[in-house]
Amino acid sequence: MVDPRSPRFAAAITTLVLVAVLLTGGGWLALAQTLVFALGALNLRYAPYSALYRWLVAPRLAAPAEREPAAPVRFAQAVGMVFAAVSAAGYLLGVEWLGIAGAGFALAATFLNAAFGFCLGCELYLLLRRTATARAGQS
Amino acid sequence: MAALVVLLLATGFGLWRRRRDGVLSAVITGHTPSTTADVADPVAPHRDLFARLGALPDAGLCLVQFSTTICAACRPTRLLCAELAADLPGVRHVDIDAEVHLDAVRQLDVWRTPTLLIVDAAGRILHRGAGLPSRDHLRGVVTEALAATR
């Protein structure tokens, strides 16, 4: 269970990074963000922006009123990682539209989370499960 | 600039979604979106399904929630529904793992979590919505629906 302000803080920083990626066409920056997402998807303790929150911001705030489960946050990190990886590959291999598309989708999801508390897992996870099992011919 | 377009579109979507999130709408009978409806009972085509899920109330209403483990809004919704069920006589709450019951998910047209269905003793879906509802809104809808069952 995590302090819900930590993922929102991380999402705000990520939004800025992804805007920078789009503004600069930075493939290496996109790759760096891919790694940041990957760490978070693995374990939120390793997520760099969350660590920043714990170190800089949390000590200045009162304890959170409630906590939220980590699984949905890690899922969102995993989805972000996929889009950021596509973007990095696009920019670094010279396929610019792919770089833009990947970073664009990652930015949309991250910004929605930061500004609206949008839960990507709530929207996407069941959809993915339905599609996966339908394709496998199960019910 | 791509970044600006993305942010504008995302803001538009975010505002639109925020308005609809957690809002329970009345279900017009005979208009159920299922593809496997029981044709013999068009008014309550999902009655048997709800019975199998343990989501059919004997009397009154059942708040049927569909959740997954990857859903930040599901836990607060569950707590809210449980609170209402404890508070209002004649109201039950059931939280169904959507991943385990994909057949029900398909039959009931569930795409997001949490999805909340308000079901009466006849197995009719009176209201449905997706997203965390506000306490006042849910209480209002449930109280009104409960009064109509009496």
Side-chain angles (χ1 to χ4, degrees):
Chain A
M1 301 290 278
V2 298
D3 176 347
R5 297 166 304 189
S6 177
R8 296 289 283 268
F9 175 84
I13 299 192
T14 308
T15 301
L16 294 175
V17 171
L18 290 169
V19 168
V21 167
L22 283 170
L23 288 180
T24 63
W28 294 110
L29 188 60
L31 189 62
Q33 182 56 50
T34 305
L35 290 173
V36 168
F37 276 135
L39 286 169
L42 218 69
N43 188 328
L44 288 180
R45 293 255 118 207
Y46 305 152
Y49 306 154
S50 304
L52 200 65
Y53 172 84
R54 284 195 306 273
W55 182 51
L56 276 184
V57 183
R60 290 169 175 72
L61 300 174
E66 47 191 16
R67 291 176 170 269
E68 60 179 29
V73 182
R74 288 174 49 213
F75 175 82
Q77 296 286 297
V79 172
M81 178 188 73
V82 170
F83 282 124
V86 166
S87 179
Y91 281 124
L92 293 174
L93 298 174
V95 188
E96 201 194 0
W97 70 265
L98 200 62
I100 296 174
F105 278 109
L107 174 61
T110 305
F111 172 71
L112 281 168
N113 181 243
F116 296 94
F118 185 80
C119 161
L120 199 60
C122 304
E123 305 286 328
L124 214 52
Y125 185 67
L126 185 58
L127 187 67
L128 291 172
R129 294 297 294 132
R130 284 185 66 159
T131 314
T133 51
R135 206 172 290 156
Q138 303 164 29
S139 166
Chain B
M1 189 62 250
L4 196 60
V5 171
V6 168
L7 290 176
L8 284 173
L9 289 175
T11 303
F13 175 78
L15 291 171
W16 175 75
R17 178 61 108 206
R18 174 177 274 179
R19 201 179 305 157
R20 293 188 42 189
D21 223 29
V23 174
L24 287 139
S25 318
V27 172
I28 302 144
T29 4
H31 208 252
T32 44
S34 160
T35 54
T36 57
D38 177 4
V39 185
D41 186 1
V43 169
H46 310 289
R47 190 189 182 284
D48 291 339
L49 174 62
F50 287 129
R52 263 189 289 126
L53 292 170
L56 191 68
D58 302 319
L61 302 172
C62 186
L63 303 177
V64 184
Q65 176 179 346
F66 283 88
S67 306
T68 62
T69 50
I70 312 290
C71 168
C74 287
R75 189 169 166 272
T77 304
R78 180 168 57 246
L79 293 173
L80 181 60
C81 289
E83 183 189 303
L84 263 182
D87 225 23
L88 301 170
V91 176
R92 284 180 52 216
H93 169 57
V94 143
D95 191 3
I96 294 165
D97 186 340
E99 264 194 286
V100 172
H101 297 280
L102 286 172
D103 58 324
V105 161
R106 292 197 171 92
Q107 193 173 325
L108 294 166
D109 235 33
V110 174
W111 292 97
R112 300 168 52 197
T113 54
T115 290
L116 203 53
L117 309 173
I118 301 183
V119 176
D120 68 4
R124 284 177 298 204
I125 305 172
L126 302 177
H127 293 80
R128 65 183 294 159
L132 170 67
S134 77
R135 176 178 275 111
D136 290 339
H137 173 65
L138 183 61
R139 197 183 188 98
V141 171
V142 170
T143 314
E144 205 183 299
L146 199 57
T149 66
R150 300 225 160 97

